Amino acid sequence: MAEMDDHHFETGDSGASQTFPMQCSALRKNGFVMLKGRPCKIVEMSTSKTGKHGHAKVHLVGIDIFTNKKYEDICPSTHNMDVPHVKREDYQLTDISDDGYLTLMSDNGEIREDLKLPEGDLGNSLRTDFDNGKDLLCTVLKSCGEECVIAIKTNTALDK
């Protein structure tokens, strides 16, 4: 038998794809799609019929779910487009650290402190509401290895 070599394997994910294919004609407004390699929410789409032997083309306009940048793409309706797996979770906000990281608690009591306070108006209102003693729920969107807080709401389901 050959001598056992000491192999070191990098840990990886389960190998599950971060996207799945869907025919262009099956995409719908308010759905998600990958445009220019970014996960986007479809805000506008139109189908144009081309000439005698041409394929119908779909014009997609989407907004990046993390950066709010606008992306556009045109593809034949019979072709497949990548659709990102988007996961949405609510967390209870328990603290905001001095360096701008959120301390969030999930429904099962797990604590996570790896998400930054969102930029702009959302981040400002989140900090203001938290400083005023409001109990807040943060909606976190996760897709393609990225996560961010996209919405906040006051937690009304508190045990009084």
Side-chain angles (χ1 to χ4, degrees), residues 5-157:
D5 289 329
D6 190 24
H7 292 292
H8 176 71
F9 294 103
E10 292 297 318
T11 55
D13 57 8
S14 63
S17 177
Q18 295 176 335
T19 61
F20 61 95
M22 186 185 274
Q23 194 166 335
C24 227
S25 55
L27 295 170
R28 294 287 169 255
K29 196 173 170 180
N30 293 329
F32 297 105
V33 70
M34 295 294 283
L35 295 176
K36 311 266 190 282
R38 300 289 303 156
C40 297
K41 183 175 187 161
I42 302 169
V43 290
E44 198 179 305
M45 68 185 290
S46 56
T47 309
S48 62
K49 292 188 174 74
T50 51
K52 197 173 181 182
H53 299 292
H55 292 281
K57 295 221 180 338
V58 178
H59 176 238
L60 295 165
V61 179
I63 294 191
D64 191 311
I65 57 179
F66 297 118
T67 63
N68 287 330
K69 277 177 71 176
K70 193 177 193 178
Y71 291 98
E72 291 188 51
D73 203 0
I74 294 175
C75 81
S77 63
T78 54
H79 285 205
N80 282 346
M81 293 282 287
D82 282 333
V83 177
H85 290 286
V86 178
K87 191 175 176 206
R88 187 187 192 112
E89 263 188 286
D90 282 341
Y91 290 96
Q92 186 176 340
L93 179 65
T94 56
D95 193 23
I96 302 175
S97 67
D98 296 335
D99 56 357
Y101 279 92
L102 305 174
T103 303
L104 300 168
M105 185 170 68
S106 64
D107 291 342
N108 61 8
E110 284 180 26
I111 300 281
R112 56 180 301 183
E113 302 172 296
D114 55 348
L115 284 175
K116 254 186 151 12
L117 188 70
E119 315 243 321
D121 295 340
L122 181 64
N124 295 339
S125 66
L126 198 150
R127 187 176 281 285
T128 309
D129 287 352
F130 182 72
D131 290 342
N132 292 339
K134 287 189 183 172
D135 191 34
L136 298 173
L137 281 178
C138 297
T139 303
V140 175
L141 217 57
K142 179 179 183 172
S143 178
C144 300
E146 283 183 64
E147 308 184 76
C148 78
V149 176
I150 55 147
I152 56 168
K153 58 187 177 214
T154 308
N155 191 359
T156 54

